[in-house]
Amino acid sequence: MSRQSNRTTDSKKMVGDSSRINNSELFTLTYGALVTQLCKDYENDEEVNKQLDKMGYNIGVRLIEDFLARSSIGRCQDFRETADVIAKVAFKMYLGITPSVTNWSPAGDEFSLILESNPLVDFVELPDNHSTLIYSNLLCGILRGALEMVQMAVDVRFVQDTLRGDNVTEIRMKFIKRIEENLPAGDE
Amino acid sequence: MVIFSVYVVNKAGGLIYQYDNYVPRAEAEKTFSYPLDLVLKHHDEKVIVSFGQRDGIRVGHAVLSINGVDVNGKNTADGKDILEYFKDPANYPVSIRFGRARLSSNEKLMLASMFHSLFAIGSQLSPEVGSSGIEMLETDVFKLHCFQTLTGIKFIVLADPRQSGIDALLRKIYEVYSDFALKNPFYSLEMPIRCELFDQNLKSALEVAEKAGNFGAGS
């Protein structure tokens, strides 16, 4: 029994190398099946966007612990450090891409992530009757949920999307406030 | 070199997982004839020895079982009051097992919440700003190590004072938690962890840590 669980931990250590790439087709297909089923169920793009955000949120609150456990990154000192960690470590770990961090607002509380490629939308084309659908909205929910668990309230939205004709995919992240309730002791 | 127990405390201070890895060594089972030469009394819903220490039975030990059947607090398994039972000569000879009473799950819950509140004292007492909470608590019998994640979950390990490698063990337990508890979609956050895979993997992580700790101490 202990050998079996060792094997599971070993295969988990392979996360992030070539074994992940073999699964990306299945991942793209799974995500596509999810979005199309949501479209059939709700028949309204706005509603589907909301559901994707909610699902992403539930993923994010769990994913953050996995991220912290595997990367051993400590608390970020400011929002700029947070942006760097999200772009260079988190996106790399889970999607294998490294978006660039640009367009900082003058107050330093808003920035954009520019994704050259998006593994979720490999092979995807949006039909005309779904022009307001934000296909990758799951990512917004994930980022929002994950940051909320480390006491940061943020607003995350897509401002450009290659599926809707733009050149790049741009996600805008805005820092709203630090969540003061239930702060872990020692973090004041 | 032993790791005694593992506790996991959620953000609000509630105990969500507890695992004991030790066998209390100080247990004694003896056969007695009437009259009983130990003085027993009620204490905290248990029957404990208050006088008459002998043969491995110490003051403070609780009555654990009578004639092989575990007792239920102040009563025997059939519901009779234990002190009344011992006053009746017809019940003798009787075989009683004494030992250090294990903590009940309610007591563990209370102690975990208490530790959660105490944890903050570490950072409040600190002369420097930005101190963490209590990371280690040492007694002559065990060392308590605590690791708080950025999300507020605390992993607490009680181990032998000479055991090494507990920091790595705490990180490993965090990984096991993020894998087998969080990735189980049927597990709700902040709730008690009842996932078998989590139990199994935690136990094997403890075994690995105990062996590694032995090598460290021997060299």
Side-chain angles (χ1 to χ4, degrees):
Chain A
M1 199 190 292
S2 57
R3 218 182 299 142
Q4 231 174 2
S5 52
N6 273 339
R7 233 184 293 144
T8 353
T9 24
D10 275 338
S11 65
K12 287 211 181 295
K13 279 196 211 114
M14 296 203 301
V15 155
D17 70 17
S18 59
S19 74
R20 178 46 81 73
I21 299 196
N22 292 335
N23 292 328
S24 80
E25 266 78 23
L26 182 60
F27 178 59
T28 308
L29 280 171
T30 307
Y31 189 69
L34 181 79
V35 177
T36 44
Q37 190 61 46
L38 282 175
C39 289
K40 277 199 208 104
D41 289 341
Y42 289 97
E43 290 181 16
N44 172 338
D45 285 351
E46 268 318 301
E47 201 41 53
V48 176
N49 291 341
K50 252 202 291 181
Q51 288 302 319
L52 282 174
D53 186 76
K54 246 203 267 183
M55 288 166 59
Y57 177 83
N58 287 327
I59 294 177
V61 301
R62 292 166 184 255
L63 198 66
I64 181 71
E65 306 268 17
D66 182 78
F67 174 69
L68 290 173
R70 283 183 210 294
S71 67
S72 308
I73 298 230
R75 196 167 281 284
C76 293
Q77 296 305 320
D78 57 20
F79 202 46
R80 278 179 192 271
E81 217 186 311
T82 311
D84 280 337
V85 167
I86 293 176
K88 299 193 178 109
V89 191
F91 266 88
K92 185 116 182 64
M93 201 190 267
Y94 292 111
L95 289 176
I97 56 175
T98 311
S100 42
V101 178
T102 57
N103 286 353
W104 277 99
S105 70
D109 63 350
E110 252 190 278
F111 67 92
S112 291
L113 286 165
I114 311 276
L115 283 74
E116 303 290 317
S117 69
N118 182 353
L120 291 174
V121 307
D122 288 340
F123 320 120
V124 175
E125 274 176 29
L126 267 189
D128 295 328
N129 57 335
H130 286 296
S131 54
T132 50
L133 178 67
I134 310 174
Y135 189 83
S136 313
N137 210 24
L138 198 82
L139 290 179
C140 296
I142 294 180
L143 287 166
R144 186 169 63 87
L147 287 177
E148 188 175 304
M149 292 292 275
V150 284
Q151 296 88 42
M152 269 186 266
V154 291
D155 180 65
V156 189
R157 67 186 65 206
F158 273 87
V159 293
Q160 289 193 76
D161 195 348
T162 46
L163 286 184
R164 292 196 280 173
D166 304 307
N167 296 335
V168 291
T169 305
E170 182 182 344
I171 302 178
R172 191 107 185 115
M173 292 187 62
K174 180 176 167 58
F175 178 79
I176 299 179
K177 64 177 176 129
R178 199 152 175 250
I179 299 175
E180 299 290 338
E181 301 95 43
N182 284 341
L183 268 183
D187 279 340
E188 285 95 29
Chain B
M1 290 302 159
V2 172
I3 293 167
F4 297 126
S5 12
V6 177
Y7 292 74
V8 181
V9 177
N10 68 11
K11 270 198 282 237
L15 185 67
I16 58 175
Y17 184 78
Q18 202 279 321
Y19 173 64
D20 281 329
N21 193 25
Y22 63 90
V23 177
R25 275 161 296 153
E27 276 185 9
E29 180 147 22
K30 294 198 71 31
T31 311
F32 297 88
S33 50
Y34 187 82
L36 198 59
D37 53 355
L38 300 164
V39 178
L40 301 173
K41 68 165 188 198
H42 281 159
H43 177 72
D44 257 359
E45 293 305 312
K46 293 188 284 267
V47 175
I48 66 170
V49 176
S50 77
F51 190 79
Q53 185 161 303
R54 64 158 179 138
D55 290 341
I57 301 170
R58 308 186 53 183
V59 171
H61 276 191
V63 174
L64 295 179
S65 74
I66 296 180
N67 290 333
V69 178
D70 283 345
V71 303
N72 187 359
K74 290 193 287 207
N75 302 328
T76 66
D78 343 333
K80 294 196 276 269
D81 182 80
I82 292 180
L83 296 181
E84 291 304 314
Y85 183 87
F86 286 145
K87 290 204 181 97
D88 184 355
N91 291 322
Y92 289 80
V94 69
S95 163
I96 317 175
R97 185 153 57 91
F98 291 93
R100 183 163 183 273
R102 282 187 221 197
L103 289 172
S104 72
S105 30
N106 267 345
E107 285 169 342
K108 286 178 187 162
L109 263 162
M110 275 191 335
L111 291 171
S113 307
M114 243 189 274
F115 183 77
H116 170 83
S117 314
L118 277 179
F119 179 86
I121 287 187
S123 63
Q124 287 166 16
L125 273 176
S126 165
E128 301 279 329
V129 80
S131 154
S132 72
I134 295 179
E135 284 180 350
M136 184 156 70
L137 195 134
E138 184 169 353
T139 72
D140 52 355
V141 172
F142 72 92
K143 254 192 203 167
L144 177 152
H145 303 250
C146 178
F147 168 57
Q148 176 169 257
T149 69
L150 293 185
T151 50
I153 308 241
K154 285 189 254 308
F155 296 95
I156 300 168
V157 167
L158 272 68
D160 190 292
R162 296 155 295 172
Q163 181 81 27
S164 59
I166 298 289
D167 275 343
L169 173 64
L170 285 167
R171 302 271 178 294
K172 184 79 180 81
I173 297 180
Y174 189 22
E175 264 184 49
V176 172
Y177 167 76
S178 80
D179 283 341
F180 298 100
L182 292 186
K183 293 201 179 75
N184 179 350
F186 300 108
Y187 166 67
S188 329
L189 257 53
E190 311 292 302
M191 291 286 117
I193 302 176
R194 301 209 192 292
C195 313
E196 251 198 61
L197 284 176
F198 179 76
D199 289 334
Q200 286 169 12
N201 282 275
L202 182 72
K203 283 180 194 141
S204 55
L206 291 180
E207 277 165 31
V208 169
E210 279 177 355
K211 288 203 197 82
N214 272 334
F215 289 137
S219 54

